[in-house]
Every structure is written in structure tokens, then in C-alpha cells.
Amino acid sequence: MPRGGYDASCLDRLLETDRLEYIDRDDAADGLKRQVIDALDWTGRIFRNHQKFAAIALDLVADVPDPTILELGAGHGGLSRQLLDDHPSARVTVSDVAPASVDALAAGELGAHPRAQIRELDATEIDAADGSFDLAVFALSFHHLAPAQASRVFAEGTRVADTLLIIDLPRPPAPLHLLRLAAMLPAVPFVPFIHDGVISSLRSYSPSALRSLALHADRSIQIELRSGLTLPQIVIARRG
């Protein structure tokens, strides 16, 4: 399936890639991967994305006294730290598929937090019982997955949690997408964070694609989409 969905234009179909980001490549040095992850954490703090994303997540469990939250693809753990700071009784399972990221999370402040648990988990095959969590959150990592894997996240996330929240890069209309890529490309050879940002943009999913992925996962899954040109792509998924 095209990243722009089955109804994507010819131009939009050209604006995608199977190339992997540095943080997904086995041949990339650990130091290079850590540089990109640290840059993601830095931008999250500077632009207050951690706070914004945590507010979106906690609004979905506002009626739950002591919510249990699973963060998938946590990476640097910035969102989980914010969730724990913003909610006095939330319990957060902080997970990632990469062993190096899990080790870094366990060695940091989250590893010592009394309401946090660090786990190595694959978002496409979550080792947890049905209904284990009130909310599962997958922030700024969904685009890393190929369509078949992405569809599995819808299935697994809505299986282990009452609500699945996906926050990811928006896929703009093709002409605007071209402009965004053109602005970023000159820095690609010199800035690893921008290199991965260009690939992330090319791998982002459109609303049409997200609907198809959820439908393919399970016809009982109902999704709500929120997006805008300056906003992240927000997907709220639940089983009907």
C-alpha cells in the first residue's frame, strides 16, 4: 500500500522510500544513533512536544483514577517522563524494541522511578495480556514501520489497551511535501537528525492510509483522526 493510501496521486506515490533511518540501520554506529535520539529529545523539550503529547494522552484517561499507560517505541523516554510528572498516580510501562534504547532507559531516571517499568517490547507483537492497559501510546515512531507492520500495531495496541493513541508526522499534500523536502535536503549530508527527518517525511502515512491500515487490522477498530498543516497526525483507535 502506498504511504499516501490507495487513492494517492502519482506524485505522492513517488514521495516515499524504503530507505531506513540511521536509528533503524544495523550498520549505523551506536554513537550516531544516540546523536539522533538525543536530538529528538532536545527538540521535544524545546518545542514542548513532550508536554503537548502528554496532555493529549492524559486527556484520554481523564476519567481513570490511576491509569496504566504503555508507551511503545519510547526511544529517549521523554514522553514517559512527562506523563509521570503530569499525573501523580499514573503507572507507565516504558518500552522499545531496540535493546540499546531499553538499556539506556533502565540506566536513567525512568529506571529508578517507582511508577515506571522498563521493558523490551515489539509494538507489532506485544507481550501482554488483553486489556492490560488503559492507554497505549506510540509517538513519532509509527512511520518507521512498513504497512504490514503498521497494521499489526493497530491490532496489538487495541488488544492490550482500551485506547491506542498514535502521534506521528503528518503527510502533507504532495506539492507542500516537495517544498518541505527541498528545504531540508541541503543539510542531509551534514546533520544526521535532518537525514532521518527527510526519510521520516517520506515514510509518513496519510489519513487515507491510516484508515486502511486500521481496517485491515480488524474491522471492529474505530479510529478518530486529528491533523493539520502545523499539527502532528493524531490517531485515536478503539475496538467497537
Side-chain angles (χ1 to χ4, degrees):
M1 183 194 72
R3 299 275 173 156
Y6 290 112
D7 57 351
S9 67
C10 292
L11 177 58
D12 189 87
R13 290 167 186 253
L14 291 173
L15 297 176
E16 61 177 84
T17 184
D18 291 327
R19 188 180 180 88
L20 297 179
E21 300 174 37
Y22 284 137
I23 58 177
D24 293 327
R25 285 168 49 179
D26 293 335
D27 63 340
D30 289 342
L32 184 61
K33 294 181 180 182
R34 177 48 53 184
Q35 182 179 344
V36 175
I37 291 171
D38 289 346
L40 288 168
D41 190 20
W42 181 84
T43 56
R45 288 184 280 109
I46 293 298
F47 294 103
R48 298 183 61 82
N49 287 335
H50 299 337
Q51 292 92 331
K52 294 172 186 175
F53 296 170
I56 295 168
L58 292 176
D59 184 61
L60 295 174
V61 290
D63 296 332
V64 181
D66 304 306
T68 53
I69 301 173
L70 167 66
E71 186 184 3
L72 299 163
H76 46 70
L79 175 55
S80 285
R81 289 194 301 271
Q82 194 66 49
L83 289 167
L84 291 164
D85 286 345
D86 291 351
H87 197 293
S89 62
R91 303 191 69 84
V92 180
T93 298
V94 192
S95 74
D96 200 279
V97 71
S101 291
V102 174
D103 290 343
L105 289 167
E109 60 182 281
L110 284 169
H113 198 290
R115 289 185 285 114
Q117 180 184 19
I118 313 299
R119 292 195 61 190
E120 182 179 333
L121 291 177
D122 184 342
T124 68
E125 192 174 352
I126 303 171
D127 182 16
D130 295 2
S132 296
F133 303 94
D134 298 302
L135 177 69
V137 187
F138 200 26
L140 300 183
S141 296
F142 192 74
H143 60 273
H144 289 266
L145 304 176
Q149 296 172 306
S151 184
R152 287 292 304 160
V153 170
F154 275 106
E156 284 290 277
T158 57
R159 177 185 67 80
V160 302
D162 296 337
T163 302
L164 168 66
L165 170 64
I166 297 170
I167 304 174
D168 208 4
L169 301 176
R171 187 176 186 87
L176 291 178
H177 201 174
L178 275 175
L179 291 175
R180 181 165 78 180
L181 293 169
M184 299 169 71
L185 282 173
V188 165
F190 312 105
V191 184
F193 174 67
I194 301 298
H195 169 278
D196 276 18
V198 167
I199 294 175
S200 294
S201 185
L202 292 169
R203 292 173 67 91
S204 60
Y205 287 102
S206 73
S208 173
L210 291 164
R211 292 188 185 95
S212 294
L213 291 170
L215 182 64
H216 182 265
D218 194 304
R219 289 185 174 273
S220 71
I221 296 175
Q222 300 176 357
I223 67 169
E224 175 189 346
L225 299 176
R226 306 174 189 170
S227 64
L229 292 179
T230 60
L231 299 174
Q233 179 77 259
I234 297 169
V235 186
I236 301 167
R238 300 182 178 95
R239 296 201 180 229

